Amino acid sequence: MAGSTRIIRYVLFAFFGIIILFFITSSSSIPKPPIPDSSIFKGAKGNKNHNDPSSGHTSPSSASSGEQRLVDERPAPGSAAPAAAPASNVTMGAVPATGRLNATFVTLARNSDLWDIADSIRQVEDRFNRNYHYDWVFLNDREFDDDFKKVTTALVSGKTHYGTIAKEHWSFPDFIDQDKAKAVREDMAERKIIYGDSISYRHMCRFESGFFFRQPLMQNYEWYWRVEPSVKLYCDIGFDPFRVMAENKKKYSFVISLYEYAETIPTIWDSAKKFMKQYPEHIAEGNSMKWLSDDNGESYNHCHFWSNFEVGNLNWLRSDAYIDFFETLDRDGGFFYERWGDAPVHSIAAGLLLKKEEIQFFDDIAYWHVPFTHCPTSEKKRLENKCACNPKDNFDWKGYSCTTRWFDMMGMEKPAGYQDQKD
């Protein structure tokens, strides 16, 4: 009898349990979430699906040589992006409320530079681009190999594009006397002038001076940020340098300036003066001549912006003024008969063709390229931006730097503590 009673009790418990469960499930006001469509994840952190041609990446196994024009599923460059928290509070993968500009990083590299540029990319991504996902254009005078593409694509949070430089942009122009150029290289080698006997260095300087911005891939953009192998960024960058440039009507920028080796550019100012005489309409009022020259343009003091870091406006480089400037210098042959670097070329052009207010000094971007460092002088800035640089290494106020001259010309107040960082 007792056993039958227990069985009946269990049956009743089960029956009432089923009734209660039925009412709960049928009357609940909480809707079941729909299964998300996979398409909503496209574009997140650059969409690393290398096998999806709509992702904007081309996997090494399917990449074609030369320039590629790739599909971008993010908002069109310059258009509004989804709202997000301020840059200082942006989480991994978020896009700031102000959106991206039509901009890209650009790197000239060889396949053998892979691990050096990988380190640079990691610096840029960790300190800045992980919150913005800007594109990255890689240029090479030879086709990039599969390893280079595979590793760099994995590291960059935006889209990666790979271009092969046309031969006419990386060779001796037909107006250069090869025997004369060879004699110059041999002489510079004897005098132990850095890169004095290098042909490839000369091609690189000429390319960066007059052709990188004309590459088909670069035609898609308005702004560029140049990044070289083996550089370091020491501070978080809690703002968008491209937007700073655009909103403040800037066209060129720098973090380090210094004097150029006089032996490499003995006649560059003669060519610049010829340009000024031939094209007076291109010379900007209120330019930076006072920074370039100590005698109102009669001679060049060799100050230049260190162009291994640049954030700049591509439309300015494509302008008639800059093209006329470059072609005037190019025809004089100084890239091969001397050893003109792209840094003095860009610097003289910016100094003459732009108003001085159109050039930006980015004090907040702490930067190192062997052997010089820019580290913000302000301790407050260094702490707020989680900087890892030693302020004693800051080159800004050393005797060989031209940044003091820039501050003086612009009437800018030097930061507190700068005197402690002088030689």
Side-chain angles (χ1 to χ4, degrees):
M1 184 68 180
S4 300
T5 302
R6 282 197 299 271
I7 292 172
I8 293 171
R9 188 183 304 126
Y10 293 153
V11 169
L12 289 173
F13 285 154
F15 175 79
F16 285 112
I18 291 171
I19 295 298
I20 293 170
L21 181 62
F22 172 80
F23 280 105
I24 290 173
T25 56
S26 63
S27 62
S28 174
S29 62
I30 302 174
K32 294 180 180 180
I35 298 174
D37 185 272
S38 61
S39 64
I40 70 171
F41 297 111
K42 289 186 177 181
K45 288 201 69 189
N47 185 15
K48 293 298 185 180
N49 181 0
H50 294 215
N51 296 318
D52 179 0
S54 68
S55 70
H57 286 288
T58 303
S59 65
S61 61
S62 63
S64 59
S65 63
E67 296 80 15
Q68 305 166 27
R69 296 190 57 150
L70 305 176
V71 177
D72 190 344
E73 292 183 338
R74 302 170 307 175
S79 66
S88 59
N89 296 319
V90 170
T91 57
M92 189 72 145
V95 179
T98 51
R100 284 176 292 259
L101 272 70
N102 185 8
T104 186
F105 294 97
V106 60
T107 292
L108 178 65
R110 302 160 296 189
N111 289 310
S112 59
D113 293 323
L114 173 57
W115 299 113
D116 292 329
I117 193 58
D119 185 49
S120 297
I121 294 170
R122 190 71 268 165
Q123 296 279 324
V124 173
E125 289 290 333
D126 289 349
R127 290 298 195 173
F128 170 72
N129 201 43
R130 65 188 180 123
N131 293 325
Y132 289 84
H133 316 315
Y134 277 111
D135 293 1
W136 207 305
V137 172
F138 296 93
L139 301 171
N140 190 351
D141 65 312
R142 300 180 181 180
E143 185 179 354
F144 284 108
D145 61 31
D146 289 354
D147 283 345
F148 190 98
K149 293 177 182 178
K150 179 172 59 178
V151 172
T152 53
T153 295
L155 288 171
V156 175
S157 63
K159 307 296 183 184
T160 54
H161 309 291
Y162 304 90
T164 304
I165 300 166
K167 183 178 180 181
E168 59 267 26
H169 293 167
W170 196 275
S171 58
F172 291 97
D174 56 14
F175 54 80
I176 292 297
D177 182 331
Q178 294 282 353
D179 292 334
K180 179 179 178 180
K182 181 180 179 181
V184 168
R185 294 194 302 272
E186 292 172 349
D187 174 66
M188 286 191 169
E190 289 182 6
R191 291 189 286 145
K192 294 181 171 37
I193 294 175
I194 186 170
Y195 302 122
D197 61 343
S198 173
I199 294 176
S200 62
Y201 187 84
R202 286 172 166 82
H203 289 325
M204 181 273 289
C205 291
R206 182 172 180 258
F207 175 79
E208 293 282 22
S209 295
F211 298 109
F212 88 89
F213 53 88
R214 305 193 218 194
Q215 301 306 294
L217 285 172
M218 297 300 292
Q219 298 300 318
N220 298 323
Y221 302 98
E222 182 180 357
W223 300 94
Y224 74 98
W225 180 335
R226 177 171 164 181
V227 179
E228 295 204 350
S230 299
V231 301
K232 296 188 183 301
L233 295 178
Y234 287 118
C235 301
D236 286 350
I237 302 172
F239 61 94
D240 186 345
F242 297 121
R243 185 162 293 280
V244 169
M245 297 284 285
E247 292 182 350
N248 292 282
K249 297 180 171 57
K250 306 290 186 177
K251 295 182 180 178
Y252 190 80
S253 65
F254 72 101
V255 293
I256 292 174
S257 68
L258 66 161
Y259 294 96
E260 179 62 298
Y261 297 113
E263 296 87 349
T264 66
I265 52 167
T267 68
I268 196 171
W269 194 249
D270 294 334
S271 295
K273 289 167 69 175
K274 180 170 70 174
F275 166 80
M276 287 186 273
K277 183 176 181 180
Q278 187 173 354
Y279 295 100
E281 69 275 17
H282 290 332
I283 307 305
E285 293 185 14
N287 62 26
S288 305
M289 177 64 83
K290 187 176 180 181
W291 187 73
L292 296 170
S293 175
D294 299 332
D295 50 19
N296 200 32
E298 185 61 29
S299 63
Y300 178 38
N301 62 22
H302 304 135
C303 276
H304 70 287
F305 308 118
W306 217 22
S307 61
N308 47 67
F309 171 94
E310 293 178 325
V311 178
N313 184 272
L314 289 162
N315 290 333
W316 170 59
L317 294 175
R318 298 174 187 131
S319 69
D320 290 342
Y322 185 84
I323 296 297
D324 288 341
F325 176 79
F326 169 74
E327 291 183 351
T328 299
L329 269 61
D330 193 36
R331 293 293 305 187
D332 284 348
F335 291 107
F336 301 102
Y337 299 148
E338 296 177 9
R339 204 232 63 191
W340 294 355
D342 56 280
V345 173
H346 284 189
S347 301
I348 295 172
L352 297 178
L353 309 180
L354 300 178
K355 296 179 180 179
K356 60 181 183 289
E357 291 82 10
E358 293 179 301
I359 301 173
Q360 171 73 26
F361 170 57
F362 277 119
D363 185 40
D364 297 75
I365 300 180
Y367 175 80
W368 175 86
H369 181 294
V370 62
F372 300 119
T373 299
H374 166 67
C375 184
T377 302
S378 165
E379 182 182 46
K380 183 174 183 290
K381 281 186 180 181
R382 296 196 305 272
L383 295 177
E384 287 178 347
N385 297 315
K386 300 178 176 61
C387 300
C389 54
N390 185 342
K392 294 180 180 179
D393 295 333
N394 184 26
F395 182 69
D396 293 357
W397 317 116
K398 310 299 185 188
Y400 203 65
S401 171
C402 289
T403 300
T404 295
R405 299 175 64 101
W406 182 261
F407 270 65
D408 291 342
M409 180 191 70
M410 297 298 293
M412 296 164 59
E413 183 178 356
K414 298 181 182 68
Y418 85 95
Q419 292 177 322
D420 297 332
Q421 296 179 355
K422 297 173 72 173
D423 290 329

